[in-house]
Amino acid sequence: MTRIPVAVYASDPILEAGVTHQLRMRPEVEMLRPSDEQRAEVSLVVVDRLDDASGQLLRRLQRASSVRTGLIIGEFEQDALQTTIECGVAAVLRRRDADQDRLVGMITALVRGEGVLPGDMVGRLLDHVGKLQRSVATAGHTLSTLATREAEVLRLIADGFDTREISVKMSYSERTVKNILQEVTSRLQLRNRAHAVGYAMRHGLI
């Protein structure tokens, strides 16, 4: 049996130790040391609740496109759903349900390209998707209000990149990036870049 390389990221050492201890004895899983995290096929993020720090971690893992990410969470609050979707989290497991078998089941499902959600979260996800679809439908013409490069700039801002980093990634000058943002905010009558990102997300444009 080929063991699945797994990296664990936790908000505190006790959470990390708990998940690592459960998985270390399982033959299906190879637990990686921090120095070997680049070999991971699956990343498990273990937190009490989603906050800014864990959101940034999930976005960083999302940019490592070869890694599938699962979230083990204590309290899954209402606004956490959109963050997990935006960050490409493919599986969610509540900490109280995270025994050995469920953890291994999550990991193997991630490797197979499958998603895992508790039943009540599936309902919330469907409701969330429905709201997005209705929002886009009522927005009407707004689907065509962002050019490709405008949408990409806003996506990168949402991922935490600054103007200089965006200019490098898109091979534009910093002035061009600023002009793109100015054009979006002026045309759509938005206050600033944060307002522009929020507008684009609410209307399904990014």
Side-chain angles (χ1 to χ4, degrees):
M1 178 186 297
T2 302
R3 303 176 75 194
I4 302 168
V6 175
V8 174
Y9 303 84
S11 56
D12 66 60
I14 293 176
L15 294 179
E16 180 177 357
V19 171
T20 301
H21 175 73
Q22 291 202 69
L23 291 174
R24 183 166 285 144
M25 60 188 72
R26 295 294 295 246
E28 304 95 331
V29 176
E30 176 191 1
M31 298 305 297
L32 299 175
R33 295 187 296 269
S35 58
D36 294 327
E37 287 171 356
Q38 70 277 5
R39 291 201 298 111
E41 293 181 22
V42 170
S43 294
L44 298 181
V45 175
V46 191
V47 295
D48 287 318
R49 61 178 58 84
L50 277 183
D51 55 18
D52 290 342
S54 53
Q56 290 174 9
L57 171 60
L58 290 174
R59 289 185 175 89
R60 177 170 69 82
L61 294 173
Q62 183 184 29
R63 292 193 288 272
S65 57
S66 62
V67 178
R68 300 275 290 174
T69 300
L71 177 67
I72 303 163
I73 189 166
E75 297 181 26
F76 196 81
E77 298 165 344
Q78 184 64 37
D79 58 356
L81 181 61
Q82 182 163 335
T83 301
T84 58
I85 294 170
E86 292 166 0
C87 295
V89 174
V92 178
L93 184 64
R94 285 193 172 88
R95 278 211 340 251
R96 64 173 180 266
D97 300 324
D99 58 23
Q100 275 190 36
D101 290 337
R102 286 192 175 96
L103 287 169
V104 172
M106 169 189 269
I107 291 166
T108 55
L110 286 168
V111 169
R112 292 194 300 265
E114 300 171 0
V116 178
L117 282 177
D120 65 304
M121 289 188 195
V122 173
R124 288 162 64 180
L125 175 61
L126 293 174
D127 182 61
H128 179 74
V129 171
K131 288 178 180 177
L132 284 178
Q133 290 174 335
R134 290 191 294 273
S135 176
V136 170
T138 56
H141 67 281
T142 58
L143 282 175
S144 61
T145 57
L146 289 184
T148 300
R149 68 176 190 171
E150 292 172 341
E152 183 60 22
V153 166
L154 293 179
R155 284 191 195 97
L156 291 170
I157 292 172
D159 285 339
F161 293 100
D162 61 24
T163 302
R164 182 186 62 79
E165 292 169 327
I166 294 170
S167 70
V168 171
K169 281 184 168 292
M170 297 186 67
S171 300
Y172 292 157
S173 69
E174 290 187 43
R175 179 181 293 276
T176 297
V177 173
K178 291 176 182 177
N179 286 342
I180 291 170
L181 285 169
Q182 176 62 35
E183 168 62 23
V184 171
T185 55
S186 175
R187 187 175 73 248
L188 300 180
Q189 299 182 350
L190 304 170
R191 293 188 298 276
N192 49 45
R193 62 174 59 192
H195 191 190
V197 169
Y199 175 93
M201 290 175 63
R202 282 196 304 275
H203 291 88
L205 303 179
I206 61 172

